[in-house]
Amino acid sequence: MDRRKLTIIVVTLGTLFLVGQLSGVREFVESRGQAAAGQYAFELFGSSADDNALLLKIKEEAVKRRIEPVDAVNDRVWKAIPGYNGLEVDVDQTYQRALALKKGSESTDWNVDEIPFVYRELPAKVGLDQLGSLPIYRGNPNKKMVSFMINVAWGNEYITPMLDTLDAAGVQATFFLDGSWLKKNPELAKEIQKRGHQMENHAYSHPNMSQLSESRANLEISKTKDLLKETLGVENKWFAPPSGDFNQKTVEIAAGQGLRTVLWTLDTVDWMNPSPESVVAKISKRVEPGSLILMHPTKASRDALKGMIDAVRRQGLQLGTLENTLSPSRLPKP
């Protein structure tokens, strides 16, 4: 074979190889994201022994640091319990960040604590939507968050002091508003919302929902849902039955309006005017990750609120809205 033909063959094969590799890059990046390009280049064309050791260390740590997601379940006692997302190391992003940090450094050895690990959440396979129409009494026990549920149908004189206590502690709660109260007190409701709290549905006239006809039950929920939208611009997601009275039909009616029915894990029973000390002691003893703590704007809860906040935090738990507590999203590290 003459040299000219050999040159043509070599060039042709080289071109085919390059096209194939570029196609591989495209497919790899499309399937794994732009951040994967650096890892592809490393694995395709090779790199230094130090970089190879770094990538291997990241991959080994990724296996150790992976946390599997927890699916939502229909518990025999607690009914619907939300799922909780897992966590895994983003190997590509971690590798790229580590290489960027390494530039200009004379050190070639990496301690695990020096690697800037990047994480991403692993969604649970089963969420609340897949469990059907079930009531919710608590959050996932793997999520170290607790929520205050404050049902409002009366007690205006205690609302502002409670808001001040929540503000001072940097706590956001969820207020479930009786529709007739909201209609009479739009400015006070706007003040609650202005302070950063979640606003949700507590029916319109504080009825026993299980004793209502289907049409009346629908109306109780829809009137308040409409008021929340008109008065506060709120897209209502949650429904708390007055007095905790409901049946399966109630849950299904609320679901038909796009709302999940939520009750509580712990009840302050503040309407019986217990001492603040007894309320705080109860919460201290029984609060757990995922607890939903029920209260009202009463003298007892006003006076016990700071103590309850402190009690929850002493357990290493964060306080957030109902939406945050029942979300499958992972808590950021404090």
Side-chain angles (χ1 to χ4, degrees), residues 16 23 39 44 55 58 69 76 87-88 126 167 169 176 185 192 195 221 242-243 248 250 254 317:
L16 290 173
S23 176
Q39 183 183 342
L44 178 62
L55 183 58
I58 291 171
R76 184 174 62 85
L87 202 64
E88 69 175 356
V126 180
D167 279 353
F176 285 87
N185 300 278
I192 297 171
R195 305 270 191 122
I221 297 172
S243 305
Q248 180 58 27
T250 307
L317 304 172

Side-chain angles (χ1 to χ4, degrees), residues 20-209:
Q21 295 305 327
L22 290 176
S23 176
V25 170
R26 184 176 62 255
E27 292 174 0
F28 189 85
V29 171
E30 287 176 352
S31 64
R32 304 274 302 273
Q34 289 295 329
Q39 183 183 342
Y40 186 93
F42 168 81
E43 293 177 347
L44 178 62
F45 300 113
S47 188
S48 71
D50 294 333
D51 290 349
N52 187 24
L54 169 62
L55 183 58
L56 181 60
K57 186 172 290 188
I58 291 171
K59 289 182 176 180
E60 289 174 347
E61 280 295 315
V63 174
K64 298 176 186 177
R65 295 172 181 239
R66 181 183 174 93
I67 300 173
E68 295 299 327
V70 180
D71 288 339
V73 296
N74 179 3
D75 186 79
R76 184 174 62 85
V77 175
W78 294 106
K79 303 305 178 184
I81 297 180
Y84 191 41
N85 291 346
L87 202 64
E88 69 175 356
V89 173
D90 187 323
V91 173
D92 301 326
Q93 288 278 6
T94 300
Y95 178 63
Q96 292 303 318
R97 287 196 180 187
L99 287 180
L101 285 176
K102 183 182 175 184
K103 286 182 179 179
S105 173
E106 295 181 0
S107 175
T108 59
D109 188 28
W110 282 90
N111 293 323
V112 170
D113 293 340
E114 297 175 327
I115 297 174
F117 286 99
V118 179
Y119 294 90
R120 58 188 172 208
E121 294 196 14
L122 291 169
K125 295 179 182 178
V126 180
L128 286 175
D129 288 340
Q130 293 158 275
L131 297 183
S133 299
L134 295 171
I136 301 169
Y137 289 83
R138 60 164 304 136
N140 192 290
N142 294 282
K143 187 171 187 175
K144 294 184 177 181
M145 178 169 270
V146 169
S147 182
F148 289 147
M149 297 173 56
I150 304 175
N151 291 352
V152 182
W154 36 265
N156 288 14
E157 66 271 34
Y158 301 111
I159 291 177
T160 299
M162 291 177 73
L163 290 175
D164 292 341
T165 300
L166 292 168
D167 279 353
V171 172
Q172 291 182 329
T174 298
F175 286 75
F176 285 87
L177 306 184
D178 173 277
S180 62
W181 180 91
L182 174 55
K183 188 172 183 179
K184 295 173 185 175
N185 300 278
E187 295 308 313
L188 187 50
K190 289 176 183 177
E191 178 63 22
I192 297 171
Q193 185 184 39
K194 180 182 176 182
R195 305 270 191 122
H197 303 289
Q198 182 182 356
M199 314 294 272
E200 297 294 341
N201 193 322
H202 196 44
Y204 188 82
S205 61
H206 212 271
N208 291 325
M209 296 295 295

